[in-house]
C-alpha cells in the first residue's frame, strides 16, 4: 500500500559494465504523492560495496515533497554484486529497491543454423562465413571442435549445436524444344546430300550456379552410325568402312554445326541454339554431346534421284529458221522428298517448262526445242540444276549457321546435238521470150539452164524454144557432144547484155536448135595465162603453209615450256608432289618417356602457405627424337602474347587438366606417394597453367607452373607426404592464363606402418622327411599391404616354464606390397612346453602376437600305408554378362552394373580381376578381397558356387573409355 502514496525513483538500480576500483554514483529519491504527512526513512545497504548518503535529515515529508540521497557503488572484484535499499514509510511499511552491479562480460550470440542454400555438386570447396555476435562489453571466446556433430562452446553461455544445411543439386544442362517440352532426340528427317536443314532447341542451365557450355560432336557414341550407305550391299559397305577407317576421313563437324557453339549460362538461364544438319555423301547419323547433357541428332542423307529418260538428245538436221522439238521425261525416283529443278539458258535451245517441282515418285514432261538461227553443227551440254537450301560458304567456325540460301546443289548434264544447214534454192530463170521489142532490148534473168533441162523451158521462152526438144535433126551432134564433154548450158536469145565475153572460162554454151558452140571472145590483154594462173595458185599455197608452220611452232613452244616445269634427270612419268599430302602430327604421337626435373633450392619458398611457381625446365621427347623445352614462365614475345589471352569456353575445354579427383588411397605416415596429373593442350597457341599449393603435405610437388606449347602434353607429379594420421581432404586451385580458375580435389588417408600375419595360431607338426633332431617346423607369412617398407622384430614371450620355440629371421624388413615367410622351429625335450608366444613389433607401427602350438606325435605306434588318389578338373568360371556398357555417366558420379560369377566345376577356383590400369573402374564383391594390391581383386569360389558382384564406373573427367577385356 505504501507504493500508492510514495513514489521511488528509480524503482531499481543497475550498474552495468563496471570496472574494479571505479566509483559509480546515482541519485535515489522518494516522493510523497499522498495528501497527508508521511514519515519516510531510507536504510543504508548491508554490503560495503554500496554506500548511501542522505541529502536531508528530515523524516516527515509533506505532500508533494521528497527525500533522497546519493548511492555509490565501488566494486572490489570481477563478480556480480546484489543488495537491497530499504525505504520505510510511517514505520509500518517498507519499500525494497534492488541494487545490482554487473562487471564487464561478453555476450556471445550465434545462429544455430548455417544454411548454404542450393549449391551445385561440382566437387569444389564452398566456404561461408557464419557470424558470432558479441553484445557484451568484454571479449569472449568460442570453441568449435572438428567433429561430426558441430557443437559450438560460447563463453558464459550454453553450447550451441550448429546445424549445417545445404541443398546439393546436380549441375546439369537440359534441352527443350521451342514449346518447352524436354528433348532427347532431334529429328531432321530425310535431307538431300549437299543441302542443309536448320532446327532450333532451347538450352537451359538447371542449377543455381553459372556455367560455361561447349557444344561437342561425338562420333563414337553408342548408337552412332556415320558413313554407311544403306543402298550398298553388306560386303561393299564393310569394304568401304575399312578403307575409310582413318579419323581424317570422318570429320563429323562438316555434317552438324551449332550456333552458338559455346557460351555462358547464368543460374537457371536459357539460350536458343541453332543446329544445322548438312549431310555429306555417305554420312547418316551423328550425335551431339557435352559434359552435362546429350542430344541425339538423327537425320538421313538421301541422294538426288532425278533421272531423265535419256542423257543424249539428237535433233538431227534442220534448215535455218526451222524449229525441232523433242520430249524429255524427268523421273523423281526418291520416295520421300520432292525435287525442285531449273534448266539453264542455252543459245539456240529452249525448254518448256524451264523450272518446276516434281513430287516424290512422280515424273514431269519437258519439251526441248532447237531453233536454228545460224548454220553449223552444235554439240552442247544442257545443265539441269536441282535447287535446295544450302549453307553459305566461307566464314569461320563461329559464323551464323541460321541463314540458308536457295541455290543449286546438284547438276545433271544433258548432251544435245543438232545440225543447221542452209537449203540451196535454185532460182527460176527469167528468160527473154524471144520477141524483141522495137524500143527496148531486155536481157534475161539467171539464164543458166542445163542442156538436159531443155524440155522444162518451153513455158519460160515459148517463142525461143518452140519445139526444139522434139526435133531430131541434130540429134547426132547432141549425143556426141554429151559423150565428149561435160555439162553445158543453153544459149538463150539476148541472155547477156552487150558483151560477148564468156561468163566463165570453163563454161560452155550451145545453141538451142543446132547445138553449136556460142561464139565467145577472150581479150588476151586482160586475161590471165595458164602460167600466171599457176603462179597465182602457188602464191596462195605458200601463204597457207607459212600460217600452218607458225601455228605448229607456237604449240610446240607451249608444250616444251610445260615439260620444263616437271623435267628432271630421271623421268619416272609422274608429276612431283602431285596428290601427296604430308602426315599430320597428333597428340598420340607424343611420348613423355623421359622427364628431367631440376630440383629447386631448399631455401626457395614463395611463402609459408603458398607456392605457385618454380623456375625450372622440363625436357620432353617426341617420336622424332627432337627435344623440346617446356618453360615454367612465358619467355618469348609469342608466349607472352598467347598467355595473356582470354580463352573462350570452347578453347578452355580443349585444355585438359586431370584427373580432377586425385585419390592417393592409404598412405603410410612419413612416406612419399606420387600421382600423375595430366596436362594436355589441344589448342594452336601457348597456354600457361599454374597450380597453388597451400598445404605442407603437397609441398614436394614441382614444378607448379607450365607453359604448354601448342598441341602438347605434359605430366605433373603430385607428391604427397604427411606426418599426421587420419583423413586428408584438400582442394588445389589452378589457373589457366592467370584468368580461368579451377580446382582439383586431393584425398588421402594417412595410416601407420602395419604388418599382417597369415595366421595368429601356428600349429607345428613333425615333418616325415626330416630327422628327429630337426624338430618341428612350420612357417608364418608377414604381409605388407602399405606403400612403405616396414621393419619388424620378433620378441619371444618368456613364461615360468620357459620357451623352446625359435623363429627366423628374428628381425628384417618387408617391402611395400610384398610378403615374407618366417620359419618357426620347436625342439622337443623332456618336460618342454608345447606352447609359446611371439610378439611381432613393427617399428613405428602396430604389434601382433603369434601363438605357437606343437602337436606331439604318439610313440610306439605301427605305421600304416595310405593310398591317396584324386582327379584334376580344369577350372570353369562363367560371367553372365558378356559386355559392360556404361551410358552417359557424369564426372564425379558413379554407375554400377551387377553380374553373377559362377563356378561351374566341382573344384574350388580363384578368380583375379586386374583393373590396375583403369583407376575409374572398381569391383563390389560380397567379401573383401584377399589381395590388397591397388586395382587387383581376388574372389575365391567353391565348387558350383555363384556370387553376386557388380562393376562400378566412377569417371573423374570427361573422356571416352576403351574396351576392357582382361
Amino acid at each position: 500500500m505504501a507504493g500508492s502514496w510514495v513514489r521511488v525513483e528509480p524503482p531499481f538500480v543497475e550498474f552495468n559494465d563496471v570496472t574494479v576500483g571505479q566509483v559509480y554514483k546515482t541519485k535515489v529519491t522518494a516522493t510523497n504523492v499522498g495528501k497527508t504527512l508521511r514519515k519516510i526513512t531510507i536504510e543504508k545497504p548491508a554490503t560495503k560495496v554500496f554506500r548511501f548518503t542522505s541529502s536531508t535529515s528530515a523524516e516527515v515529508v509533506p505532500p508533494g515533497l521528497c527525500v533522497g540521497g546519493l548511492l555509490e557503488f565501488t566494486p572490489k572484484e570481477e563478480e556480480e554484486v546484489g543488495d537491497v535499499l530499504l525505504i520505510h514509510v510511517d514505520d509500518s511499511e517498507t519499500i525494497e529497491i534492488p541494487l545490482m552491479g554487473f562487471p564487464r562480460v561478453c555476450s556471445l550470440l550465434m545462429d544455430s543454423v548455417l544454411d548454404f542454400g542450393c549449391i551445385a555438386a561440382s566437387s569444389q570447396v564452398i566456404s561461408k562465413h557464419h557470424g558470432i555476435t558479441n553484445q557484451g562489453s568484454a571479449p569472449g571466446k568460442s570453441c568449435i571442435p572438428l567433429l561430426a556433430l558441430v557443437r559450438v562452446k560460447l563463453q558464459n553461455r550454453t553450447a550451441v549445436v550448429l546445424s549445417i544445411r545445404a541443398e546439393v543439386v546436380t549441375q546439369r544442362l537440359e534441352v527443350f524444344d521451342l514449346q518447352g517440352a524436354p528433348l532427347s532426340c532431334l529429328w531432321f528427317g530425310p535431307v538431300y546430300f549437299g543441302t542443309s536443314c536448320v532446327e532450333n532447341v532451347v538450352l537451359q542451365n538447371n542449377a543455381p550456379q553459372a556455367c560455361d557450355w561447349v557444344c561437342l560432336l561425338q562420333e563414337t557414341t553408342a548408337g552412332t552410325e556415320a558413313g554407311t550407305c544403306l543402298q550398298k550391299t553388306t560386303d561393299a559397305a564393310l569394304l568401304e568402312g575399312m578403307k575409310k577407317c582413318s579419323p581424317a576421313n570422318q570429320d563429323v563437324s562438316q555434317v552438324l554445326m551449332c550456333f552458338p557453339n559455346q557460351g555462358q549460362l547464368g543460374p537457371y538461364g536459357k539460350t536458343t541454339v541453332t543446329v544445322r544438319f548438312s549431310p555429306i555423301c555417305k554420312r547418316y547419323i551423328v550425335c551431339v554431346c557435352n559434359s552435362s547433357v546429350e542430344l541425339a541428332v538423327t537425320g538421313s542423307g538421301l541422294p538426288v534421284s532425278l533421272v531423265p529418260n535419256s542423257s543424249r538428245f539428237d535433233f538431227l538436221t534442220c534448215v535455218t529458221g526451222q524449229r525441232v522439238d523433242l520430249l524429255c521425261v524427268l523421273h523423281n525416283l526418291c520416295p520421300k522428298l520432292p525435287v525442285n529443278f531449273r534448266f539453264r539458258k542455252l543459245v539456240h535451245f529452249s525448254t518448256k517448262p524451264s523450272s518446276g517441282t516434281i513430287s516424290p515418285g512422280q515424273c514431269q514432261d519437258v519439251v526441248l526445242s532447237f531453233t536454228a538461227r545460224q548454220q553449223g553443227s552444235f554439240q552442247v551440254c544442257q545443265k539441269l540444276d536441282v535447287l535446295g537450301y544450302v549453307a553459305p560458304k566461307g566464314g569461320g567456325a563461329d559464323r551464323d549457321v541460321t541463314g540458308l540460301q536457295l541455290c543449286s546443289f546438284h547438276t545433271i548434264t544433258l548432251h544435245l546435238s543438232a545440225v543447221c544447214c542452209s537449203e540451196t534454192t535454185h532460182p527460176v530463170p527469167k528468160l527473154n521470150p524471144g520477141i524483141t521489142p522495137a524500143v527496148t532490148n531486155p536481157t534475161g534473168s539467171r539464164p543458166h539452164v542445163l542442156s538436159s533441162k531443155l524440155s522444162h523451158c518451153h513455158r519460160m521462152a515459148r517463142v525461143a524454144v518452140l519445139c526444139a526438144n522434139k526435133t531430131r535433126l541434130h540429134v547426132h551432134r547432141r549425143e556426141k557432144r554429151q559423150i565428149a564433154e561435160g555439162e553445158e548450158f543453153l544459149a538463150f536469145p539476148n541472155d547477156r547484155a552487150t558483151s560477148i565475153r564468156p561468163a566463165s572460162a570453163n563454161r560452155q554454151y550451145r545453141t538451142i536448135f543446132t547445138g553449136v558452140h556460142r561464139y565467145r571472145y577472150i581479150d588476151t590483154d586482160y586475161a590471165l595465162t595458164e602460167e600466171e594462173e599457176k603462179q597465182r595458185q602457188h602464191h596462195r599455197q605458200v601463204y597457207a603453209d607459212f600460217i600452218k608452220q607458225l601455228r605448229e611452232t607456237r604449240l610446240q613452244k607451249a608444250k616444251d615450256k610445260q615439260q620444263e616445269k616437271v623435267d628432271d634427270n630421271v623421268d619416272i612419268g609422274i608429276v612431283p608432289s602431285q596428290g601427296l599430302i604430308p602426315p599430320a602430327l597428333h597428340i598420340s604421337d607424343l611420348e613423355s618417356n623421359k622427364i628431367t626435373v631440376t630440383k629447386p633450392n631448399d631455401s626457395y619458398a614463395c611463402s609459408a602457405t603458398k607456392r605457385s611457381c618454380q623456375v625450372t625446365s622440363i625436357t620432353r621427347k617426341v617420336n622424332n627424337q627432337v627435344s623440346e623445352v617446356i618453360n615454367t614462365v612465358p619467355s618469348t614475345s609469342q608466349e607472352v602474347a598467347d598467355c595473356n589471352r582470354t580463352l573462350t569456353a570452347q578453347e578452355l575445354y580443349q585444355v585438359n587438366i586431370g584427373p580432377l579427383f586425385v585419390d592417393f588411397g592409404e598412405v603410410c605416415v612419413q612416406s612419399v606417394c606420387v600421382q600423375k596429373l595430366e596436362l594436355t593442350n589441344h589448342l594452336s597457341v601457348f597456354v600457361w597453367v599454374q597450380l597453388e599449393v597451400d598445404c605442407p603435405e603437397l609441398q614436394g610437388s614441382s614444378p607448379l607452373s607450365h607453359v604448354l606449347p601448342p598441341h602438347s602434353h605434359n605430366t605433373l607429379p603430385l607428391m604427397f607426404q604427411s606426418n599426421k594420421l587420419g583423413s586428408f581432404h584438400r582442394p588445389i586451385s589452378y589457373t589457366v592464363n592467370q584468368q580461368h580458375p579451377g580446382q582439383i580435389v586431393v584425398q588421402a588417408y594417412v595410416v601407420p606402418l602395419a604388418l599382417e600375419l597369415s595366421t595368429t595360431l601356428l600349429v607345428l607338426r613333425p615333418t616325415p622327411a626330416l630327422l628327429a633332431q630337426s624338430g618341428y617346423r612350420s612357417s608364418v607369412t608377414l604381409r605388407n599391404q602399405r606403400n612403405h617398407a616396414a621393419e619388424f622384430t620378433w620378441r619371444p614371450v618368456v613364461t615360468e616354464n620357459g620357451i623352446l620355440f625359435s623363429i627366423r629371421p628374428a628381425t628384417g624388413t618387408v617391402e611395400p606390397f610384398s610378403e615374407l615367410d618366417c620359419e618357426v622351429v620347436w625342439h622337443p625335450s623332456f618336460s618342454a612346453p608345447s606352447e609359446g608366444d611371439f610378439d611381432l613389433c613393427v617399428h613405428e607401427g602396430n604389434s601382433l602376437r603369434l601363438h605357437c602350438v606343437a602337436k606331439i606325435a604318439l610313440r610306439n605306434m605301427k605305421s600304416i600305408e595310405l593310398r591317396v588318389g584324386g582327379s584334376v578338373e580344369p577350372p570353369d568360371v562363367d560371367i553372365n554378362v558378356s559386355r559392360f556398357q556404361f551410358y552417359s555417366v557424369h564426372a564425379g558420379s558413379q554407375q554400377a552394373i551387377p553380374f553373377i560369377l559362377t563356378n561351374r566345376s566341382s573344384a574350388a577356383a580363384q578368380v583375379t580381376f586386374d583393373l590396375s590400369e583403369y583407376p575409374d573402374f572398381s569391383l563390389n564383391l560380397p567379401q573383401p578381397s584377399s589381395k590388397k594390391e591397388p586395382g587387383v581383386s581376388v574372389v575365391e569360389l567353391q565348387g558350383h558356387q555363384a556370387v553376386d558382384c557388380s562393376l562400378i564406373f566412377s569417371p573423374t573427367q570427361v573422356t571416352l573409355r576403351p574396351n576392357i577385356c582382361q
Side-chain angles (χ1 to χ4, degrees), residues 446-464:
R446 297 182 295 272
H448 309 294
V449 180
L450 294 175
S451 300
S452 59
K453 303 296 183 180
L454 180 59
S455 59
H456 300 285
C457 299
H458 185 268
R459 294 182 180 179
M460 293 183 296
R462 183 183 302 272
V463 177

Side-chain angles (χ1 to χ4, degrees), residues 504-554:
S504 177
N506 300 324
R507 183 174 295 178
Q508 296 292 335
Y509 288 86
R510 290 184 181 271
T511 61
I512 299 175
F513 290 93
T514 60
V516 298
H517 287 282
R518 170 186 284 178
Y519 173 78
R520 61 180 180 175
Y521 171 76
I522 299 176
D523 191 352
T524 57
D525 295 335
Y526 298 98
L528 296 176
T529 64
E530 293 183 359
E531 294 296 333
E532 291 175 344
E533 185 66 27
K534 290 181 180 180
Q535 187 178 5
R536 180 185 179 187
Q537 296 296 333
H538 176 69
H539 287 173
R540 290 184 177 180
Q541 187 64 34
V542 169
Y543 279 101
D545 295 342
F546 176 71
I547 295 174
K548 181 179 181 182
Q549 184 181 2
L550 289 179
R551 179 178 180 274
E552 293 178 353
T553 303
R554 185 179 69 255

